[in-house]
Amino acid sequence: MPEQEVALKANRNAVYRKRSGFVNEIWKNKLYYLIALPGILYFVIFAYLPMPGIIIAFKDYNYLDGIFGSKWIGFKNFEFFFKSEYAWKTTFNTLFINGNYIVFGTVTAILFSLMLNEIRQVVFKKLYQNLMFLPYFISTVVVAQFVYIILSDEYGLLNIFLKAFGLNAVQWYQNASYWVPILVIINIWKTTGYSVIIYLATIAGIDEGMYEAAYLDGATRFQKIWYITLPCLIPTVIILTLLAIGRVFYGDFGTIYPLIGENGQLFATTEVIDTYVFRAVSRMNELCMPAAVGLYQSICGFILVLGSNLLVKRINNERSLF
Amino acid sequence: MTERKDRISDIIFHIVFVVFCFSTLLPFVLTLIVSISDEMSIIKNGYQLIPDKLTLDAYGILLSGDNVFNAYKISIIVTISGTLLALLVSSMLAYAISVEKVKYRNVIALFMFFTMLFGAGLVPWYIVMTQFLHLKNSIFALILPMLVSPYNVFLIRNYFKSLPKEMVESAEIEGATPLGTLVRVIIPLSAPIIATVSLFISLGYWNDWNLSLWLIDKRELYPIQFMLYKINSLINYMKSQGSKNAYGGLSIPKESVQYATVMITIGPIILMYPFIQKYFVKGIMIGAVKG
């Protein structure tokens, strides 16, 4: 009898504990949850509250009827977008530009960090690193003006140079085909310093003993780089690249918009999803199509970010974000 | 033999970096020079490194009105208060989810992390900002939307977790509240990560113009980067309309003013750069090595 009573009591206590476990926990650690609250509220308001707004993508939204009053039109917005040439063009531009960023940016950063690592005079090493890092601190509206100072049709440095050598000036701002290379160069200018710092930190962590052993074996500088330094860099490169691939559906609005503005002649190669959405909202003052496009971008982005992060996790558990 | 090959590759490396660094600096130097160049010599010769005539007219024009000073005021207010507030909220959140006895800390972490994977998009965000929060044309519009970054919170949390547990426990035994422990014990011990994170947050606020683009159309509230953008857009528009215009028939030195605006905007960054860059470098290295 007593055992059954004990068992019943234990069972009841267990149920009691389970029922009010949530409230119990919050109350027990209430001060902790309290200080977490402002941060949590931030995400609720700025990240989760907009989410129901996704239904605008499925409605014929107008301001008067509001979100809930507007007519439901299902996938019509998506249909319109995908039937138009914009879907393919903006998606392609976004992926193509970002892809180029990743490829050229990574190759440049690897090359530069390998070379910088070989520079023995610390003074120069620091100097080069610091100078390369400076563009990271410049805002993208300033970058647009820097590009203009070089590429401006009439007064730009490049055209002045070309004319001085007897060549014809080039109308850079009127020909879309120049702009993917230009954007890649800008991206390299702005981000190499930052990437080199990361790679140098990784290289600094390589075991000295390996280099000594290689030296004893008579390895040349380039053999040391190829067989030791580079393989040790590869994991970091892979992780950073995977993370970048996760973001590949999000275009470089910050750089592109101040540069291109409303210059329609350059849209063919530089109109990315983000600039397209911005223009739709601000110029044409319509909200349903850009909402659909934004949702399309978020879903593609989600799949890629999740996928790439899962891959990163499999390679190196600590490096992933979770 | 190898030494000669090494020396040659040494020289090549140096050359590569000298060229790259030179081209990195070129826009800065050219901008400075053009901003003090005489407009006529620009029209005649284009942007030159050695102009015919120098003048400070462009700066005179820019600094004569309220716009630049106002914009600086806004940027400074937003950056300082934004950084402090962001640090406070982020470290409170980070601390709460770093303590093991908080059972739902991983739920909160996941809640936060999910926002790094999926967003509702710009249109719903914009509607929430303007119609539900009425954040348009308010200084809070420049501060709040950027306040907490999940990445920063995770960085801070991981640092907190790496602190010796005895410190935390002894503070708790003495009856300190979580907030008290955080402020009096944890944060002083976390100076490196706090310094790093605050630098990156500050840079983010200072360079941001995106929020202004979406949410601000009152000139008194433009921060300096957005003011730069607006001034130069206006000048470009004026150029496309012909040279005599709204400035009461006077034509302003349109070319040099654009670059004077840039100099005014990046001046502080460049001046502070030698002093603060090593903290950024250290911060990135901590992030890189610890992942």
Side-chain angles (χ1 to χ4, degrees):
Chain A
M1 277 311 155
E3 301 93 48
Q4 281 177 324
E5 276 180 27
V6 170
L8 272 174
K9 267 215 181 112
N11 200 20
R12 205 194 322 135
N13 282 338
V15 173
Y16 174 70
R17 248 180 279 125
K18 225 206 262 181
R19 230 187 300 135
S20 53
F22 177 75
V23 181
N24 234 3
E25 164 63 19
I26 304 280
W27 184 254
K28 198 172 64 148
N29 287 319
K30 59 182 180 295
L31 290 176
Y32 286 102
Y33 291 107
L34 205 59
I35 62 172
L37 196 57
I40 297 179
L41 269 180
Y42 168 84
F43 288 103
V44 168
I45 296 177
F46 290 95
Y48 286 97
L49 195 55
M51 285 193 190
I54 290 176
I55 61 171
I56 294 178
F58 301 98
K59 288 198 164 200
D60 190 7
Y61 179 82
N62 65 71
Y63 184 68
L64 292 170
D65 291 336
I67 301 185
F68 298 106
S70 303
K71 203 172 61 148
W72 177 272
I73 54 174
F75 283 95
K76 279 248 179 65
N77 287 324
F78 292 91
E79 233 188 279
F80 190 70
F81 175 65
F82 284 110
K83 282 220 183 103
S84 77
E85 51 174 14
Y86 289 120
W88 169 238
K89 255 291 117 179
T90 55
T91 307
F92 175 79
N93 286 341
T94 311
L95 297 179
F96 187 62
I97 293 176
N98 284 343
N100 274 292
Y101 280 179
I102 295 177
V103 169
F104 288 100
T106 306
V107 169
T108 312
I110 294 180
L111 282 175
F112 276 34
S113 49
L114 290 176
M115 289 195 284
L116 196 58
N117 188 48
E118 296 295 319
I119 305 258
R120 255 153 301 172
Q121 303 87 332
V122 180
V123 168
F124 285 118
K125 198 168 173 171
K126 292 263 176 215
L127 179 68
Y128 296 148
Q129 183 184 296
N130 292 339
L131 286 178
M132 289 200 295
F133 192 31
L134 180 58
Y136 173 78
F137 292 80
I138 303 300
S139 82
T140 49
V141 287
V142 173
V143 174
Q145 202 62 42
F146 276 0
V147 173
Y148 188 71
I149 208 174
I150 310 275
L151 296 184
S152 151
D153 288 345
E154 278 178 82
Y155 310 123
L157 195 66
L158 196 49
N159 279 343
I160 301 290
F161 255 39
L162 291 176
K163 283 194 270 206
F165 285 102
L167 301 163
N168 281 325
V170 182
Q171 313 286 72
W172 303 100
Y173 281 88
Q174 290 172 28
N175 190 332
S177 49
Y178 297 127
W179 282 84
V180 175
I182 293 177
L183 284 175
V184 170
I185 294 176
I186 297 173
N187 182 257
I188 290 182
W189 178 83
K190 202 166 193 302
T191 63
T192 299
Y194 184 93
S195 309
V196 163
I197 294 177
I198 295 185
Y199 288 137
L200 276 184
T202 313
I203 294 179
I206 299 179
D207 179 16
E208 274 300 314
M210 286 202 272
Y211 290 111
E212 282 164 21
Y215 173 70
L216 289 173
D217 282 344
T220 68
R221 153 185 283 177
F222 289 97
Q223 282 174 324
K224 284 189 208 151
I225 293 179
W226 184 257
Y227 288 107
I228 303 179
T229 321
L230 203 49
C232 289
L233 261 186
I234 297 290
T236 308
V237 172
I238 291 184
I239 289 169
L240 289 179
T241 304
L242 278 178
L243 293 177
I245 291 181
R247 307 279 316 159
V248 87
F249 261 92
Y250 296 97
D252 194 5
F253 180 83
T255 308
I256 297 180
Y257 186 70
L259 268 177
I260 310 288
E262 301 301 319
N263 187 349
Q265 292 170 307
L266 305 181
F267 285 0
T269 52
T270 61
E271 182 83 326
V272 294
I273 297 179
D274 309 63
T275 49
Y276 175 72
V277 169
F278 176 74
R279 265 183 254 281
V281 174
S282 61
R283 307 290 154 207
M284 305 186 257
N285 236 312
E286 55 162 282
L287 292 178
C288 24
M289 247 249 281
V293 177
L295 180 60
Y296 153 69
Q297 185 186 44
S298 293
I299 292 185
C300 295
F302 175 69
I303 297 176
L304 272 178
V305 170
L306 198 58
S308 63
N309 270 297
L310 285 175
L311 269 177
V312 168
K313 198 169 173 170
R314 290 190 65 186
I315 295 181
N316 184 334
N317 216 325
E318 304 136 26
R319 288 310 210 95
S320 70
L321 289 171
F322 49 94
Chain B
M1 264 320 274
T2 15
E3 275 167 37
R4 218 185 41 164
K5 262 207 323 195
D6 273 5
R7 210 162 298 160
I8 298 180
S9 47
D10 267 343
I11 297 179
I12 296 182
F13 294 164
H14 275 282
I15 294 179
V16 168
F17 284 114
V18 167
V19 169
F20 189 80
C21 291
F22 176 76
S23 50
T24 296
L25 286 182
L26 182 63
F28 292 91
V29 174
L30 195 56
T31 300
L32 175 61
I33 293 181
V34 174
S35 72
I36 53 176
S37 296
D38 172 63
E39 186 78 357
M40 279 301 131
S41 81
I42 296 179
I43 296 184
K44 228 180 7 145
N45 306 323
Y47 302 142
Q48 297 279 19
L49 278 171
I50 307 179
D52 291 341
K53 225 173 81 169
L54 296 177
T55 167
L56 286 179
D57 280 354
Y59 290 96
I61 291 179
L62 270 182
L63 297 174
S64 61
D66 265 344
N67 290 326
V68 171
F69 295 109
N70 220 24
Y72 254 102
K73 198 178 63 164
I74 297 284
S75 280
I76 292 178
I77 294 177
V78 166
T79 302
I80 295 184
S81 53
T83 305
L84 287 175
L85 195 58
L87 270 178
L88 186 65
V89 175
S90 303
S91 45
M92 289 201 303
L93 182 56
Y95 183 56
I97 60 174
S98 71
V99 175
E100 269 171 24
K101 62 179 180 171
V102 175
K103 265 204 324 185
Y104 295 126
R105 68 186 188 285
N106 286 326
V107 175
I108 298 178
L110 189 59
F111 180 78
M112 196 174 37
F113 178 67
F114 182 71
T115 66
M116 290 174 91
L117 301 179
F118 181 79
L122 276 173
V123 173
W125 178 86
Y126 182 65
I127 293 186
V128 168
M129 291 295 122
T130 53
Q131 289 179 23
F132 287 96
L133 298 174
H134 302 293
L135 268 185
K136 214 169 161 116
N137 281 323
S138 146
I139 199 147
F140 293 106
L142 297 173
I143 300 178
L144 296 180
M146 281 175 58
L147 199 61
V148 185
S149 144
Y151 185 72
N152 284 338
V153 175
F154 284 126
L155 267 179
I156 301 178
R157 176 198 69 171
N158 292 345
Y159 194 89
F160 284 174
K161 274 163 87 165
S162 74
L163 293 175
K165 291 207 174 51
E166 308 83 57
M167 301 265 166
V168 184
E169 278 159 19
S170 60
E172 303 241 316
I173 289 176
E174 294 179 27
T177 65
L179 189 59
T181 318
L182 175 64
V183 169
R184 256 165 290 173
V185 178
I186 306 290
I187 290 200
L189 284 176
S190 310
I193 196 73
I194 300 289
T196 300
V197 169
S198 50
L199 278 178
F200 279 96
I201 295 179
S202 298
L203 189 64
Y205 273 114
W206 184 263
N207 278 345
D208 173 67
W209 52 274
N210 220 319
L211 289 177
S212 318
L213 186 67
W214 287 95
L215 300 173
I216 308 282
D217 43 38
K218 268 205 228 153
R219 206 170 349 132
E220 306 87 64
L221 282 175
Y222 288 173
I224 189 70
Q225 306 290 346
F226 194 60
M227 181 64 77
L228 162 67
Y229 173 71
K230 278 295 195 185
I231 291 180
N232 285 359
S233 301
L234 179 64
I235 293 181
N236 273 318
Y237 176 73
M238 280 161 53
K239 284 198 321 196
S240 68
Q241 300 295 314
S243 53
K244 298 272 183 1
N245 50 56
Y247 251 67
L250 295 161
S251 58
I252 60 170
K254 295 186 206 64
E255 295 299 324
S256 47
V257 168
Q258 289 183 62
Y259 299 102
T261 336
V262 172
M263 286 313 301
I264 290 181
T265 309
I266 62 176
I269 298 263
I270 299 196
L271 289 175
M272 292 207 294
Y273 182 66
F275 306 105
I276 59 174
Q277 59 86 16
K278 58 170 171 275
Y279 298 105
F280 278 91
V281 173
K282 224 182 272 179
I284 296 174
M285 287 180 140
I286 297 180
V289 173
K290 281 222 189 116

